[in-house]
């Protein structure tokens, strides 16, 4: 069986507009939390997963598939963008076997919504997705709660 691994990364700063922009992580809204800055809804988990799927399938990265000049991306639902990526990957003859994500943030605490995010993403990707949350323990911009970052690792198999 032809198997490939992919690694994705994304990071977004918190919005200066505060809680007026919703925080979306793994396709789940976190009410009352400050949103992230981005062309789309800035869902760092969905974006990292997207890159982790595109790379090993030989399809480039999120910036190539969804360039900033693409009007569809303005305010886009990142889960819908991820659905498009999953379809592109499938059309190229690959299928995800699993995705594992590590999200670095001081806030919000992800453990209460981890199962919900994993379930939502599993439904979109069509393979098990694990979401984990870690703190940066006060180190660097992430430790100062200036934003959120995510790394995603994917295993793809050739159909």
């Amino acid at each position: 069986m032809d198997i490939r691994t992919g690694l994705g990364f994304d990071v977004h700063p918190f919005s200066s507009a505060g809680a007026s922009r919703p925080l979306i992580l793994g396709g789940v809204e976190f009410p009352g939390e400050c949103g992230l800055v981005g062309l789309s809804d800035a869902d760092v988990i969905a974006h990292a997963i997207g890159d982790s799927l595109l790379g090993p399938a030989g399809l480039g990265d999120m910036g190539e598939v969804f360039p900033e000049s693409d009007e569809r991306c303005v305010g886009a639902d990142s889960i819908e963008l991820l659905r498009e990526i999953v379809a592109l990957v499938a059309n190229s003859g690959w299928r995800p076997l699993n995705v594992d994500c590590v999200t670095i943030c001081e806030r919000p605490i992800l453990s209460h919504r981890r199962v919900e995010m994993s379930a939502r993403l599993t439904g979109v990707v069509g393979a098990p997705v694990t979401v984990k949350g870690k703190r940066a323990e006060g180190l660097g911009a992430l430790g100062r709660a200036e934003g959120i970052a995510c790394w995603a690792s994917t295993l793809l198999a050739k159909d």
Side-chain angles (χ1 to χ4, degrees):
M1 183 183 328
D2 194 1
I3 294 179
R4 294 183 183 175
T5 61
L7 182 63
F9 170 77
D10 196 39
V11 62
H12 286 278
F14 282 109
S15 170
S16 60
S20 65
R21 181 173 176 140
L23 176 63
I24 310 290
L25 296 172
V28 173
E29 185 172 344
F30 285 75
E33 293 287 343
C34 182
L36 298 169
V37 175
L39 188 60
S40 66
D41 61 12
D43 184 336
V44 296
I45 298 174
H47 295 179
I49 292 172
D51 268 345
S52 77
L53 291 165
L54 289 166
L59 299 172
D61 62 28
M62 293 270 304
E64 291 176 71
V65 176
F66 301 110
E68 288 187 16
S69 60
D70 187 343
E71 292 296 321
R72 298 177 310 144
C73 297
V74 178
D77 178 343
S78 294
I79 291 297
E80 294 308 314
L81 299 178
L82 184 57
R83 281 186 211 286
E84 288 187 43
I85 290 168
V86 169
L88 287 171
V89 169
N91 289 338
S92 70
W94 293 92
R95 65 183 165 82
L97 298 178
N98 78 300
V99 179
D100 188 50
C101 303
V102 177
T103 308
I104 314 302
C105 59
E106 296 299 308
R107 65 175 211 279
I109 295 171
L110 300 183
S111 60
H112 309 334
R113 314 269 322 261
R114 195 174 66 77
V115 171
E116 183 181 359
M117 289 183 288
S118 292
R120 177 87 196 270
L121 292 162
T122 294
V124 174
V125 172
V129 176
T130 304
V131 175
K132 300 181 299 282
K134 298 290 182 186
R135 293 183 57 231
E137 305 297 336
L139 297 175
L142 296 174
R144 291 188 300 272
E146 293 176 16
I148 299 177
C150 182
W151 283 263
S153 175
T154 293
L155 188 62
L156 293 183
K158 191 72 166 170
D159 279 336

